[in-house]
Amino acid sequence: MQNLELENLPSPEVCIKEVGKWIASYPEQPLAYLHSFGCQLNVADGEKLSGILKQMGYGFTDDVTKASLILYNTCAVRENAEDRVFGTLGSIKKLKQENPALIICVTGCMTAQKQVADKIKKSYRYVDIVLGSSAVSRLAQMLYAHMHGLKHAQDIETYLDIPEDLEPLRESTFKAAVPIMYGCNNFCTYCIVPYVRGRERSRQPEKIISEVRKLIQDGYKEIMLLGQNVNSYGKDLETPVSFPELLREIDKIPGEYWIRFMSSHPKDASPELMDALLECEHLAKHLHLPVQSGSNEILKRMNRRYTVEKYLSQVDYIRSKDPDFSLTTDLIVGFPDESEEDFQATLNIISKVRYDNMYSFIYSKRTGTKASLMPDSISDSEKSQRMQRLLALQREIAVENNKRFIGRTLTVLCDGESKKRLGNMTGRSSENILVEFAGTPDLIGRFVRIKVTESHNNMVCGYIL
């Protein structure tokens, strides 16, 4: 059936049923191996893909050698992430040779790029299905096409609609991610995301609220609202709804739970957002606000569209109402032609804001972005040295910051066993502080009250009250 027209395929619902019949004919239930690379939005997409596979009758395995279907959900933020995927595809070629019936599928942000999809089709001919990042709901149709003889099923079109009927297969029973929007309009010069995820598209607020309400009814304790820039949520809706308005509506849902969100762009972080964080009962008392650089010149070349002064005014606003409100951030070290003065400005903003934690990265050139064309005279060794200076400063601040919790009682969502100390459990407080305490595995997924007795640079420790 080589001439199968992809645009004339049956609906996803019909394909799920038809593929399900085909799978039911197996003597044993076929197993799927799915791995999501990259950000939490990718992980959320992976849960939807798993949901589709489950509907069709697949079981799941963590052992790639036992799989009847291998699906890689890829990331395109950094070029080395793409290299890793290509390396992984090369390593499983032998599995396809040993089992020609094995189905290999690649999807995600990486395959949304035509040149990447073309490379896979040309150089990795044993890959059966290629889907773009907005074509998640087309998985069943691509499998239907494959099972009807299409050697290479590919769909990398950009779809603007948001399928609301995909039931995710969630990895956790107490933490859930809920995408509230897709795409990005910001075009930061170092970032490929707008090119692979398209323009901003917001989900209808009633759909989001309904999904969150059901999760809370099902016992979920932490809901993470996701978007490339959640602060611009709702601007594209026919009846605009702001992000703070959405948060306040969600907060009205009764129950024992926390709401977190990311990512939050400073250019759209309003006083209304800060007020909602401080006033809403269920909003975690923590804000991740990526600054990226403390230099106005670098921020301008990054196309971040805010100044250091505006950023600090946002920090001052929330800290004026809650002096030790928890803030974390993202920082890029060694952006093209970052001077020592620019870098010192970044150290200065770290010293002023005194973040509880930060996620810092040495700039990595990303082909396809404007920054990749900028001249860069900074050596790799200089970038590494700057990173070490930045991390040393942050460690000092974190040690001092964590001391403020000694003697306090924190509410903590227990999420697992300590990897370092036998008999201890770990979890995060509302402030997103890592907390370790003596306990048992039956506490996982429950809120506990912890009296803090000691602090370290990356966590605090205490005991259950």
mmCIF file of all heavy atoms in Angstrom, residues 14 89 142 145 217 279 398:
data_model
loop_
_atom_site.group_PDB
_atom_site.id
_atom_site.type_symbol
_atom_site.label_atom_id
_atom_site.label_comp_id
_atom_site.label_asym_id
_atom_site.label_seq_id
_atom_site.Cartn_x
_atom_site.Cartn_y
_atom_site.Cartn_z
ATOM 1 N N VAL A 14 -10.690 6.254 14.668
ATOM 2 C CA VAL A 14 -10.828 5.034 13.868
ATOM 3 C C VAL A 14 -9.502 4.279 13.816
ATOM 4 O O VAL A 14 -9.459 3.053 13.951
ATOM 5 C CB VAL A 14 -11.318 5.366 12.440
ATOM 6 C CG1 VAL A 14 -11.225 4.137 11.525
ATOM 7 C CG2 VAL A 14 -12.748 5.886 12.474
ATOM 8 N N LEU A 89 19.894 6.585 17.739
ATOM 9 C CA LEU A 89 19.302 5.910 16.585
ATOM 10 C C LEU A 89 20.303 4.953 15.938
ATOM 11 O O LEU A 89 19.938 3.853 15.515
ATOM 12 C CB LEU A 89 18.829 6.947 15.554
ATOM 13 C CG LEU A 89 17.566 7.743 15.902
ATOM 14 C CD1 LEU A 89 17.262 8.768 14.816
ATOM 15 C CD2 LEU A 89 16.379 6.815 16.106
ATOM 16 N N MET A 142 -0.316 7.413 11.883
ATOM 17 C CA MET A 142 0.946 7.009 11.286
ATOM 18 C C MET A 142 1.181 5.499 11.470
ATOM 19 O O MET A 142 1.694 4.823 10.578
ATOM 20 C CB MET A 142 2.103 7.795 11.910
ATOM 21 C CG MET A 142 2.074 9.295 11.629
ATOM 22 S SD MET A 142 2.196 9.737 9.881
ATOM 23 C CE MET A 142 0.462 10.108 9.532
ATOM 24 N N ALA A 145 -0.955 3.792 8.937
ATOM 25 C CA ALA A 145 -0.327 3.845 7.615
ATOM 26 C C ALA A 145 0.823 2.837 7.520
ATOM 27 O O ALA A 145 0.976 2.134 6.517
ATOM 28 C CB ALA A 145 0.175 5.259 7.332
ATOM 29 N N GLN A 217 -9.364 15.730 42.247
ATOM 30 C CA GLN A 217 -10.321 14.715 42.697
ATOM 31 C C GLN A 217 -9.687 13.329 42.707
ATOM 32 O O GLN A 217 -10.031 12.484 43.538
ATOM 33 C CB GLN A 217 -11.553 14.722 41.794
ATOM 34 C CG GLN A 217 -12.416 15.967 41.956
ATOM 35 C CD GLN A 217 -13.512 16.068 40.907
ATOM 36 O OE1 GLN A 217 -13.509 15.348 39.897
ATOM 37 N NE2 GLN A 217 -14.450 16.969 41.122
ATOM 38 N N GLU A 279 -1.374 35.867 47.476
ATOM 39 C CA GLU A 279 -2.718 35.819 48.051
ATOM 40 C C GLU A 279 -3.433 34.485 47.878
ATOM 41 O O GLU A 279 -4.306 34.151 48.690
ATOM 42 C CB GLU A 279 -3.577 36.937 47.427
ATOM 43 C CG GLU A 279 -3.067 38.337 47.760
ATOM 44 C CD GLU A 279 -3.702 39.416 46.885
ATOM 45 O OE1 GLU A 279 -4.660 39.078 46.135
ATOM 46 O OE2 GLU A 279 -3.256 40.576 46.937
ATOM 47 N N ALA A 398 23.359 30.406 48.700
ATOM 48 C CA ALA A 398 22.426 29.337 49.063
ATOM 49 C C ALA A 398 22.627 28.885 50.505
ATOM 50 O O ALA A 398 21.660 28.630 51.228
ATOM 51 C CB ALA A 398 22.575 28.159 48.107
#
